[in-house]
Amino acid sequence: MAIQEPLRTVIQSHEVMHALLGPLHSTNTVVQSTAALTVAATACDVEARTELRTCGGLEPLVELLHSKNDEVQRHASWAVMVCASDELTAVELCRLGALDILEEINLSVSRKNKFSEAAYNKLLNNNLSLKYSQTGYLSSSNIISDGFYDYGRINPGTKLLPLKGLCLQELNDQRAILLVNSKSDISPPPSMEDKSSDVGYGRSISSSSSLRRASKEKNTAGFGSPTEEKSEPTSGRNTVLSRGAAKEKGSRKGRGKKEEEKVKEEEEVLAVPKLTEGSPDKEWFPPLDPDFCVYVYEVTKSILPIINIKDQIESLAKYVADKMGGKIPKEKLSDFSWELHISELKFQLKSNVVPIGYIKKGIFYHRALLFKALADKIGVGCSLVRGEYSRAWNEVKLLNEARKGIIGNLPPPEEYIVDLMFHPGALLKLRSKEADLYRFL
């Protein structure tokens, strides 16, 4: 019945997901198998999957993956594959351990099946942060969206904390976690020079040009709620001006007013750490990245209109390199002090999570992530591959220009690696000596 969409809609309108809770908890394997199959047949749209998630149906479904009965396990894998079609449900399934169970199943020759493999891949494709950390690869169809973060390589079976948990961790000396976030509460800049207001992590920062611009804006955001803006102290230049104003006012109204201003400033300073700790009863937002918002605006305006895809790739590569410290000669690579720059950013932000737009001295894996994130924004297909020793690169596919316009029997597109470091914009044939030197040496 669920194959026919009108009937499926009627079935869903009778709260079928709530009705399936009992059968999913059954100890009878026939009932379990049929219930899982019914979930796979009816959870074909967002509303049905949301209902299943909110009514607590995902937990018993994930438990069925442990079943020793092949049919139950196969139908449960099928249902998980269908439910993983939207990101929220996929993330919840991962939190419940579905990915770990499916990974264990797929390592077994006797238990592995096409449904378990498809479900595993579907979960990863809707949780790209985890996929990139586990596999080190994102294809051109894996579109990076806001909230994506690169934690670094993790071993199979290792739990990856959600972004909020990572943001609220104490500062450590481990590799910085890179965040992609183009969400902003402000409109795009009307010109290249008029950039978005910047925001800190609940602290005042003045180390980079983007952070210095924060002092000119009233908008603030960070780990705490936006309703806490009033307790946020202004940064840099504004702080000096406010103290000057307070001094001038105090000279007119006496010492009592000056002492009152001093007490107020002390209270504001004491309130800062509370912003970064986050409050459990207030909504949390990921850190904003005004510079990355500007990057998206600029490439959309200047690179998206370019007709030739090869020219688009070359222009974007030069743009990314320019934002990340420019061209780096191979012989001077060891002198490029990107580690110090990243450490300073972590210290100033008081966080292990660094938005990608804040980085002005980037190495291979910083540039490759920025290239992929911007390419996805303007529809330029490319993959992201993690290598060893801080290496990462982007691969693109292009048709041979000499064959352009020829009809029929076209050869497959040629694969290239985009040079973002030594000769920004150069395209290196994938299996050439130059490409190997870029990836491995």
Side-chain angles (χ1 to χ4, degrees), residues 2-3 8 12 36-44 78 82:
I3 296 174
R8 186 173 68 245
Q12 292 170 346
L37 187 59
T38 307
V39 171
T42 54
C44 300
W78 189 357
V82 173

Side-chain angles (χ1 to χ4, degrees), residues 411-430:
E414 297 179 347
E415 295 179 287
Y416 297 88
I417 287 177
V418 184
D419 189 336
L420 302 172
M421 288 289 296
F422 308 128
H423 302 284
L427 298 179
L428 315 174
K429 281 197 174 182
L430 185 58

Side-chain angles (χ1 to χ4, degrees), residues 143 299 316 369-382:
I143 306 302
V299 300
L316 182 59
L369 176 57
L370 180 58
F371 184 91
K372 168 69 172 168
L374 291 175
D376 287 347
K377 293 291 185 183
I378 61 173
V380 174
C382 74

Side-chain angles (χ1 to χ4, degrees), residues 14 33 119 143 147 162 164 213 273 288 319 329 373 375-376:
H14 286 79
S33 175
I143 306 302
K164 179 179 179 180
R213 288 195 302 274
L288 300 185
Y319 180 90
D376 287 347

